[in-house]
Amino acid sequence: MAGRSGRGLDWLNFFMSNVQTGFGPFIAVYLTAHAWTELEIGLALSVGAFVTMAMQVPAGAMVDATPNKRFAAALALLAIAASALLLALLPETLPVMISEVLHGVASCILGPSIAAISLALVGRQGLGERLGRNARYAAVGSGVAAGVLGAAGTWLSGASVFWLTAALCIPSLIALAAIRPDDLHPPRPEEREGGALRGLGTLLRSRGVLVFALCCGLFTLSNAAMLPLAGTQVTRHAGDEANLIIAACIIAPQLIMAMIAPGIGRLAQRRGRRLALLIGFAALPARGLLLMLVDNPAWLILVQALDGISAAGLGVLLPLLAADLTRGTNRFNLCLGLFGLAVGIGGTLSTTLAGLAAEWFGPGTAFAMLAGIGLLSVAVVWLAMPETREASG
């Protein structure tokens, strides 16, 4: 029974990543081909990031309060499909902005919904293992989708990326339907107390929550613009092959992430959360500096593989730390929303700042700036992040 639901959750993560892969770097390539400038692309991507930032905390509270997490996830998937169709049909300023808004709202509901489904399926004790499994299936899904979408963008059309993205929502919904409601265990009545926005003040008084929110913001401020910025440079130099190169830049880190994510989860369980965070965060400044130095597509793909280490670290640890920091309450998704807000702030600023830096001072300066911010995030983890792992025994 639970095995069927577990497999449904596996495939939901796989196909959800298929769907989300169509956004981000492929949008940068698509809009560049339609004569959008780096600054215009940065602003468009920032619209979605800003909406995500504004909606994260309310969405977290809503998912905490909603008994039917599967329905919330289904609505989010349908909104993402609509967003992709809008991009495919009308790559003009207003439709693109509307698409980014739709995608931003849907994404900040979908992530917490899947995290909530995972927690309800396995409980807090099994969450670390489950999150590692989620990350592995998501990474494989992103890699497969990147190859398929990159080939479609190269040999069919740029718009085909978004037609396929919308179509991939169908198997996502089928996988979601395979998760049996009877296998999902809601919070105990005592944990429901304080699960709404009134718990926000309590979370904001937690040192661990505040420090990790800062870490998330700095991480995304450094990370979010790296591949889109590299994508615009590749498009100008590689022409029609740009989609394939970007696809390879997505596939490489996903392969790394698929290999190491379960190990990161086990390391966090056995040796503590800070060590796993440091490993993930340390790859970020190294990647930024190397992107500043390389322009050969083959080297670019190798450098981008480092993103798999960072993605595994943050992808597994963010929900795991949210669970650690909300033990005994029903504030898990509210805490996820706070961390998502920090990620949204970082993402909003990252693409715009990097676009401005690239346009005014050149891409090398933009990559150096992003690497410096990544180094600061490592310092915050090292110096200020408390250990949240529950003492064994």
Side-chain angles (χ1 to χ4, degrees):
M1 298 284 196
R4 172 188 160 182
S5 292
R7 289 190 295 275
L9 184 55
D10 290 340
W11 289 109
L12 175 59
N13 279 282
F14 177 85
F15 287 116
M16 178 205 68
S17 291
N18 285 178
V19 170
Q20 294 285 47
T21 298
F23 294 87
F26 282 115
I27 291 179
V29 172
Y30 180 58
L31 296 180
T32 300
H34 282 83
W36 286 49
T37 68
E38 288 166 338
L39 180 57
E40 289 171 335
I41 293 169
L43 288 172
L45 293 176
S46 291
V47 167
F50 177 79
V51 171
T52 302
M53 175 187 69
M55 285 296 297
Q56 282 289 349
V57 173
M62 183 202 75
V63 174
D64 276 335
T66 301
N68 194 338
K69 320 295 186 189
R70 294 162 69 249
F71 182 68
L75 287 180
L77 284 166
L78 291 173
I80 290 174
S83 174
L85 291 174
L86 201 53
L87 278 171
L89 291 168
L90 295 167
E92 299 165 7
T93 302
L94 183 59
V96 168
M97 297 300 179
I98 294 172
S99 171
E100 286 294 303
V101 169
L102 266 178
H103 180 255
V105 171
S107 293
C108 68
I109 293 173
L110 184 60
S113 296
I114 291 177
I117 290 168
S118 301
L119 181 58
L121 185 64
V122 302
R124 293 180 188 272
Q125 290 301 109
L127 188 59
E129 268 314 299
R130 180 66 250 183
L131 291 173
R133 191 175 177 93
N134 286 359
R136 168 168 282 177
Y137 273 82
V140 174
S142 291
V144 170
V148 172
L149 296 176
T154 300
W155 291 312
L156 297 176
S157 70
S160 66
V161 169
F162 303 105
W163 288 109
L164 278 171
T165 295
L168 286 167
C169 287
I170 297 171
S172 300
L173 290 167
I174 294 171
L176 180 62
I179 300 172
R180 293 167 50 89
D182 290 346
D183 292 332
L184 304 180
H185 306 290
R188 295 186 300 272
E190 63 269 21
E191 290 188 341
R192 292 197 186 105
E193 188 73 27
L197 282 175
R198 64 179 176 271
L200 186 59
T202 302
L203 292 178
L204 290 175
R205 290 191 293 273
S206 166
R207 175 174 173 250
V209 169
L210 293 176
V211 171
F212 188 61
L214 175 60
C215 293
C216 289
L218 290 172
F219 180 97
T220 315
L221 182 59
S222 173
N223 183 67
M226 283 191 188
L227 185 53
L229 182 60
T232 59
Q233 303 308 311
V234 165
T235 303
R236 301 194 193 290
H237 294 101
D240 291 340
E241 296 180 355
N243 276 299
L244 281 179
I245 295 168
I246 291 298
C249 286
I250 296 172
I251 291 169
Q254 298 306 324
L255 291 174
I256 299 297
M257 185 177 177
M259 288 189 289
I260 71 171
I264 290 286
R266 287 191 294 270
L267 178 68
Q269 194 63 40
R270 290 200 293 257
R271 301 287 301 277
R273 314 318 194 203
R274 287 180 73 250
L275 177 60
L277 277 175
L278 283 169
I279 292 171
F281 276 52
L284 190 56
R287 179 167 144 249
L289 288 173
L290 289 170
L291 285 173
M292 180 178 64
L293 299 174
V294 303
D295 55 12
N296 181 283
W299 283 107
L300 176 64
I301 294 164
L302 288 175
V303 170
Q304 186 59 24
L306 288 172
D307 188 37
I309 301 173
S310 299
L314 190 67
V316 173
L317 269 296
L318 190 151
L320 189 55
L321 281 165
D324 287 349
L325 293 163
T326 57
R327 288 187 191 97
T329 75
N330 187 33
R331 296 176 188 143
F332 173 58
N333 289 288
L334 184 60
C335 189
L336 279 180
L338 277 175
F339 295 156
L341 174 61
V343 167
I345 292 171
T348 299
L349 295 175
S350 181
T351 50
T352 301
L353 287 178
L356 287 170
E359 196 156 296
W360 292 347
F361 306 110
T365 301
F367 282 124
M369 175 190 72
L370 297 174
I373 297 167
L375 188 60
L376 180 59
S377 74
V378 175
V380 173
V381 173
W382 178 263
L383 298 172
M385 185 66 208
E387 178 56 60
T388 64
R389 180 177 60 128
E390 205 168 22
S392 58

